[in-house]
Amino acid sequence: MNSIAARLDRIFGNAAFDKLLLINTTQKDSYFTYLTGLYAGSFESSILIADRKKALLITTVLEYDVAKRSCPKEIRVVAAHSRGKTMELLKDQLRNKTVGVNGAFIPINLYRRIRKLGKPKRMVDAGKALAGARQIKDWPEVELIGIANNIVKKAFSKIEGSLRVGITEREVAKEFDSMMREYGADAPSFDTIVCFGRNAAVPHHVPGKAKLEEHSFVLIDAGARYAGYCSDVTRTFIFKPDRKSDKYKRMIDMYDTVKEAQQIALKSIKPGIRCEVPHNKAMEYINKAHNGIYKGMFIHGLGHSLGIDVHDVGPNLSPGYKEKIQENMVFSDEPGIYIDGFGGVRIEDDVLVTKSGGKFL
Ligand code: GLY
Ligand code: MN
Ligand code: MN
């Protein structure tokens, strides 16, 4: 069974619908990529209608050839030359069926139109069935996330060579993105974050015109997208440190504390453990370090699911997530300490959950 057939099988496992319908708008539904493998191209207005064994892709003449060449054999591809043809296909596929849609994606006006044109018996939200399948990665997905992860790490291994006094955050972000492309990325997986000095205290700072100075924090949070899959990695450096200064000692202590918190979290990532546990362990370690000097300074969740989307379908490693961690989930592990007016440290790596526990990619 190839991976698309296996994905359909998982989605339809206990599904309360006979047909699954995904429709793109000007945005591509990431489940469309999940099921067709079509990660490039916009496929605007394309419709995928699947059942347990096979699927029909209704696309436009613009992308018919690409789809025909790239889709797996379970997917029959047709080009609809007119609205009339699309209506005919919809009626043929959906009439009197219970049709599942991605309720988190389909706009209400399209939902109504499909209901009117396709005349299904019922339309239901397939969100749970879709997420249940996708939050567990299969082998091709793990491999692609691994490649995306290698690309961003290669860029990290080179970027320090580009840092010089006076370079701006924006220039570093641009350089980082171009390195990722050089190493094989299709694109950055999100807008690269570069923070100098005290800007590192803002977790999602937008890189601007700040110039790099000696003895400063450099925090870079970036990811590569490769064949539809994302990586998400953060590194914090100290640029031209003054190793004798108190500032340096403080910076290094923050770094070491975050690094240890990340390891503590990693060790608790295991199948069967509640998703909130690794977060709570990292938080507790940071809050208690040196009698509480960093208490309350780890201000966000420890991690999130990672896959086709950088914040992917699936649970977060955050307070309140009682779901159990499962084998072959992929998460980020990204504790941080943020000190307003001074700077911040975040270290982020991507973790595959194996039978025996979490492993950094
Ligand atoms: N890059 C955003 C995040 O780490 O979640
Ligand atoms: Mn990140
Ligand atoms: Mn992240």
Side-chain angles (χ1 to χ4, degrees), residues 10 128 131-138 142 268-276 278 305 313-317 322-331 351-359:
R10 285 204 300 275
K128 254 197 174 153
R134 188 170 135 193
Q135 64 185 348
I136 311 296
K137 271 65 185 181
D138 55 36
V142 171
S268 69
I269 297 178
K270 289 199 175 80
I273 299 293
R274 285 194 318 280
C275 284
E276 64 182 357
S305 295
V313 167
N316 289 341
L317 302 179
K322 309 283 180 203
E323 296 93 322
K324 298 279 168 67
I325 294 173
Q326 298 181 59
E327 192 182 347
N328 290 331
M329 286 182 162
V330 178
F331 294 104
V351 180
L352 170 68
V353 182
T354 72
K355 227 191 243 25
S356 56
K359 301 257 180 307

Side-chain angles (χ1 to χ4, degrees), residues 190 193 204 221 232 234 304 311 334 346 348:
F190 58 92
I193 296 167
H204 283 180
D221 180 350
D232 183 10
T234 305
H304 50 85
H311 290 180
E334 49 177 312
R346 179 165 67 259
E348 175 175 25

Side-chain angles (χ1 to χ4, degrees), residues 19 60 76 93 119 138 167 234 245 248 297 324 352 357:
K19 293 269 184 179
T60 65
R76 182 163 72 90
Q93 290 286 317
K119 304 207 181 316
D138 55 36
I167 195 169
T234 305
S245 68
Y248 175 73
M297 294 178 178
K324 298 279 168 67
L352 170 68

Side-chain angles (χ1 to χ4, degrees), residues 102-334:
N102 180 8
F105 183 85
I106 188 169
I108 190 79
N109 56 341
L110 262 185
Y111 171 87
R112 288 192 181 125
R113 222 161 65 230
I114 300 278
R115 200 172 51 185
K116 193 164 154 207
L117 298 179
K119 304 207 181 316
K121 182 161 74 187
R122 271 192 328 136
M123 278 169 88
V124 297
D125 184 7
K128 254 197 174 153
L130 288 165
R134 188 170 135 193
Q135 64 185 348
I136 311 296
K137 271 65 185 181
D138 55 36
W139 188 246
E141 296 184 287
V142 171
E143 258 195 314
L144 296 173
I145 298 168
I147 295 170
N149 185 272
N150 285 339
I151 292 169
V152 69
K153 286 208 293 224
K154 199 162 168 199
F156 272 116
S157 72
K158 305 280 180 191
I159 195 68
E160 277 193 271
S162 306
L163 300 179
R164 54 182 159 75
V165 171
I167 195 169
T168 67
E169 292 170 337
R170 283 172 73 119
E171 285 165 341
V172 173
K174 193 168 155 216
E175 176 66 17
F176 198 93
D177 292 354
S178 107
M179 281 180 175
M180 287 198 290
R181 284 186 198 269
E182 190 185 327
Y183 301 139
D186 298 320
S189 58
F190 58 92
D191 290 344
T192 296
I193 296 167
V194 177
C195 320
F196 293 162
R198 65 183 60 184
N199 291 343
V202 181
H204 283 180
H205 169 72
V206 177
K209 291 184 180 159
K211 288 188 184 352
L212 184 54
E213 295 171 4
E214 291 182 345
H215 323 317
S216 303
F217 279 125
V218 176
L219 185 157
I220 303 177
D221 180 350
R225 185 180 293 281
Y226 179 81
Y229 284 82
C230 297
S231 55
D232 183 10
V233 170
T234 305
R235 294 287 179 263
T236 309
F237 315 100
I238 304 169
F239 177 64
K240 290 191 187 296
D242 172 5
R243 292 181 197 276
K244 293 205 179 75
S245 68
D246 288 344
K247 180 180 172 187
Y248 175 73
K249 286 181 196 131
R250 192 177 185 200
M251 291 163 111
I252 282 293
D253 188 70
M254 287 166 72
Y255 187 91
D256 290 345
T257 306
V258 172
K259 188 87 184 158
E260 184 60 21
Q262 194 201 31
Q263 284 297 325
I264 287 168
L266 177 68
K267 284 190 192 120
S268 69
I269 297 178
K270 289 199 175 80
I273 299 293
R274 285 194 318 280
C275 284
E276 64 182 357
V277 169
H279 171 94
N280 292 342
K281 297 219 178 224
M283 176 71 92
E284 191 183 320
Y285 178 76
I286 289 173
N287 280 346
K288 287 195 174 154
H290 306 301
N291 292 320
I293 59 172
Y294 303 125
K295 193 165 185 334
M297 294 178 178
F298 173 25
I299 54 179
H300 52 71
L302 177 79
H304 50 85
S305 295
L306 184 72
I308 294 174
D309 290 318
V310 71
H311 290 180
D312 204 41
V313 167
N316 289 341
L317 302 179
S318 294
Y321 281 80
K322 309 283 180 203
E323 296 93 322
K324 298 279 168 67
I325 294 173
Q326 298 181 59
E327 192 182 347
N328 290 331
M329 286 182 162
V330 178
F331 294 104
S332 68
D333 175 5
E334 49 177 312

Side-chain angles (χ1 to χ4, degrees), residues 6-17 19-23 29-35 48 50 99-106 124-137 141 308 312-314:
R7 289 173 202 174
L8 279 176
D9 207 54
R10 285 204 300 275
I11 291 169
F12 278 92
N14 297 313
F17 46 87
K19 293 269 184 179
L20 170 70
L21 180 141
L22 302 174
I23 180 163
D29 185 340
S30 51
Y31 283 106
F32 180 89
T33 303
Y34 182 65
L35 284 175
L48 184 77
V99 177
V101 293
N102 180 8
F105 183 85
I106 188 169
V124 297
D125 184 7
K128 254 197 174 153
L130 288 165
R134 188 170 135 193
Q135 64 185 348
I136 311 296
K137 271 65 185 181
E141 296 184 287
I308 294 174
D312 204 41
V313 167

